[in-house]
């Protein structure tokens, strides 16, 4: 069965086995209510472990983005990756912008900053072309904020892929990873 946040009752995390989506969501809510708190807090430990469990899938996705940019653009691009910071995650929970932590699609994210809109569209198209053969589910969350910018002026092209990796326990793990393609000017 392909990954969706709704069809999994447990989420496998490196070195510790599965944790229920309910526990991850409860810990996210509890941590948001008491933030800031010590790193030794049990809710902090669960949320941070879940956040960090995206790192290997993020690395797989980043490698693909870097290789795609190299093939399509050659030179003159910048790629980066990040795990979403804890305060940002908790702010989304507090404000209600996020229904539950286990459904968050961009805990891990990659970005390509490209020379111009044409190269953005070429890299994006190439990623869409190779996504079915590379990821465990088709790309989703496709957003063209270049053609239709957000009200605040934000412009970029987005997709969410479901990247797979094998963890330290030999278990195949899938995580949603956001990919963003934009120009230098859009990045300012």
């Amino acid at each position: 069965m392909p990954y969706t946040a709704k069809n999994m009752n447990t989420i496998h995390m490196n070195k510790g086995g599965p944790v229920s989506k309910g526990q991850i969501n409860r810990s996210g809510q509890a941590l948001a209510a008491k933030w800031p708190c010590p790193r030794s807090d049990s809710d902090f430990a669960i949320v941070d472990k879940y956040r960090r469990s995206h790192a290997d899938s993020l690395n797989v996705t980043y490698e693909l983005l870097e290789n795609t940019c190299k093939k399509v653009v050659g030179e003159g691009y910048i790629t980066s990756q990040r795990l979403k910071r804890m305060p940002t995650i908790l702010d989304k929970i507090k404000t209600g912008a996020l229904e539950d932590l286990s459904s968050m699609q961009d805990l891990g994210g990659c970005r390509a900053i490209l020379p111009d809109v044409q190269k953005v569209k070429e890299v994006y198209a190439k990623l869409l072309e190779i996504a079915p053969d590379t990821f465990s589910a088709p790309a989703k969350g496709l957003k063209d904020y270049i053609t239709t910018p957000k009200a605040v002026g934000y412009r970029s092209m987005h997709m969410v892929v479901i990247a797979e990796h094998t963890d330290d326990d030999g278990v195949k793990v899938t995580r949603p990873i956001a990919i963003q393609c934009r120009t230098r000017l859009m990045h300012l």
Side-chain angles (χ1 to χ4, degrees):
M1 176 184 276
Y3 167 92
T4 68
K6 303 297 182 204
N7 72 9
M8 293 178 60
N9 293 324
T10 59
I11 296 174
H12 191 86
M13 299 196 290
N14 294 347
K15 298 287 185 191
V19 175
S20 75
K21 284 176 31 178
Q23 181 58 54
I24 290 168
N25 295 333
R26 284 188 298 278
S27 290
Q29 291 290 337
L31 187 58
K34 61 186 167 187
W35 183 259
C37 66
R39 293 175 86 63
S40 59
D41 181 273
S42 61
D43 291 315
F44 181 93
I46 289 170
V47 172
D48 192 50
K49 188 171 187 175
Y50 177 61
R51 182 183 76 88
R52 288 183 291 111
S53 76
H54 288 70
D56 288 338
S57 288
L58 177 59
N59 289 336
V60 167
T61 305
Y62 176 77
E63 289 280 326
L64 176 79
L65 178 61
E66 173 69 22
N67 291 335
T68 301
C69 288
K70 195 176 292 178
K71 286 177 187 169
V72 172
V73 180
E75 295 181 358
Y77 66 89
I78 298 169
T79 55
S80 63
Q81 66 180 30
R82 62 98 181 111
L83 287 174
K84 193 171 284 290
R85 293 176 44 236
M86 188 69 80
T88 306
I89 295 166
L90 299 175
D91 186 55
K92 285 188 171 213
I93 294 170
K94 276 184 187 178
T95 62
L98 178 64
E99 187 177 318
D100 55 57
L101 180 58
S102 67
S103 67
M104 188 173 219
Q105 299 292 299
D106 65 344
L107 280 172
C110 301
R111 175 180 292 158
I113 302 169
L114 301 153
D116 55 52
V117 173
Q118 184 58 40
K119 292 297 181 194
V120 168
K121 290 181 178 184
E122 288 174 22
V123 167
Y124 193 79
K126 186 66 172 173
L127 289 168
L128 286 174
E129 177 187 317
I130 61 179
D133 296 330
T134 307
F135 299 107
S136 61
K140 59 183 184 174
L142 307 175
K143 306 274 190 205
D144 181 352
Y145 294 122
I146 293 175
T147 303
T148 310
K150 288 187 173 187
V152 295
Y154 175 82
R155 297 179 63 185
S156 184
M157 294 187 78
H158 287 258
M159 72 175 68
V160 175
V161 296
I162 306 303
E164 180 177 280
H165 72 276
T166 303
D167 74 5
D168 296 339
D169 298 325
V171 176
K172 287 194 185 225
V173 176
T174 58
R175 294 289 183 264
I177 304 294
I179 301 175
Q180 180 188 91
C181 299
R182 60 197 319 191
T183 67
R184 286 186 188 94
L185 187 58
M186 292 171 194
H187 187 63
L188 297 176

